[in-house]
Amino acid sequence: MRDRGTGELAPAALLAEKLGVHLDPELLVLSLTHRSFAHEAGGIPTNERLEFLGDTVLGLVVTEALYRRHPDLSEGELAKMRAATVSQRALAAIARELDLGAYLLLGKGEQATGGRDKDSILSDTLEALLGAVYLTHGLEPARALVERLVDPTLTRAADLGAGLDWKTSLQELAARLELGVPAYQVLGEGPDHARTFTAQVVLAGQVQGSGVGPAKKIAEQGAAAAAYRTLLERSPQGQASHG
């Protein structure tokens, strides 16, 4: 897959070289084909079926890795770590390290609204690539690639504690303190391609924390993190840790 004039690798082949795996050229292109491009091209196949497959492969490999690495953790703790590792935000960060946005096949409208850097598109495309690797080489090479890509995230997840899922951690802390269930109020501002969300979390009738982010979920997690830290400082457990 080299350009006949320059001898350089074609863009899709360059990506395969970054991944360290050989992929059938057609399958590689398919994994990079967003539905917006497919629609403009007259309804050609998209990467969504490969994404569906890759999501399953990713989940299996990450779940097994966590199970083997952390024999003393509960099912709930493992589930939080898995969720943090395979989250849209975490996968998009990996995709950016690969410069995956540069290789995407996007429709003109999606390109114009910043599609090459959208978390949702980047994470979905990364999963599609994993699906393509699985179809081409089977589980073990796919496992090796997944583990290489997500290992830094898995390592960080082991040290995050409550930060694995601030909303769940806040709900658990609020229950211990008998404050009821957290309620989130979210406002979005700006154009669709560059919206900013502000979230506030209310407990016992009072705003306990706020957060801002490019997505509703991120803003809510930020608000939950702020509230968690505030409540922990006020709780007997938090006060004891400073005593």
Side-chain angles (χ1 to χ4, degrees), residues 1-132:
M1 293 178 65
R2 293 181 183 271
D3 184 279
R4 293 181 179 179
T6 65
E8 295 180 354
L9 285 171
L14 184 59
L15 174 60
E17 192 172 75
K18 283 185 180 181
L19 293 172
V21 295
H22 169 75
L23 286 172
D24 174 81
E26 291 186 6
L27 196 59
L28 177 56
V29 170
L30 178 60
S31 70
L32 299 170
T33 303
H34 186 257
R35 62 177 176 269
S36 62
F37 182 90
H39 176 72
E40 291 184 9
I44 64 174
T46 76
N47 64 4
E48 291 175 354
R49 281 168 51 85
L50 282 175
E51 174 205 334
F52 170 77
L53 178 60
D55 175 69
T56 300
V57 174
L58 175 67
L60 172 64
V61 173
V62 169
T63 300
E64 182 180 348
L66 289 170
Y67 181 87
R68 294 185 183 280
R69 292 185 188 190
H70 304 286
D72 298 327
L73 293 185
S74 69
E75 178 270 342
E77 291 170 314
L78 292 174
K80 283 185 183 181
M81 292 177 69
R82 179 178 60 191
T85 303
V86 304
S87 70
Q88 184 181 98
R89 191 178 186 183
L91 295 181
I94 294 171
R96 289 188 181 96
E97 291 176 5
L98 295 169
D99 196 23
L100 188 54
Y103 305 97
L104 294 173
L105 296 176
L106 297 176
K108 294 178 181 178
E110 193 62 67
Q111 288 192 62
T113 57
R116 293 193 183 278
D117 196 46
K118 286 183 180 177
D119 281 4
S120 58
I121 293 177
L122 290 172
S123 60
D124 289 349
T125 305
L126 182 62
E127 290 178 337
L129 280 168
L130 296 176

Side-chain angles (χ1 to χ4, degrees), residues 66 70 73 76-87 153-169 221 225:
L66 289 170
H70 304 286
L73 293 185
E77 291 170 314
L78 292 174
K80 283 185 183 181
M81 292 177 69
R82 179 178 60 191
T85 303
V86 304
S87 70
T153 310
L154 281 172
T155 301
R156 288 194 298 270
D159 299 324
L160 283 175
L164 282 168
D165 182 351
W166 287 112
K167 290 180 69 174
T168 300
S169 297
Q221 287 285 345

Side-chain angles (χ1 to χ4, degrees), residues 218-239:
I218 295 174
E220 288 179 342
Q221 287 285 345
Y228 182 93
R229 295 185 180 106
T230 296
L231 293 179
L232 195 61
E233 285 291 322
R234 296 176 185 170
S235 70
Q237 177 185 350
Q239 293 171 0

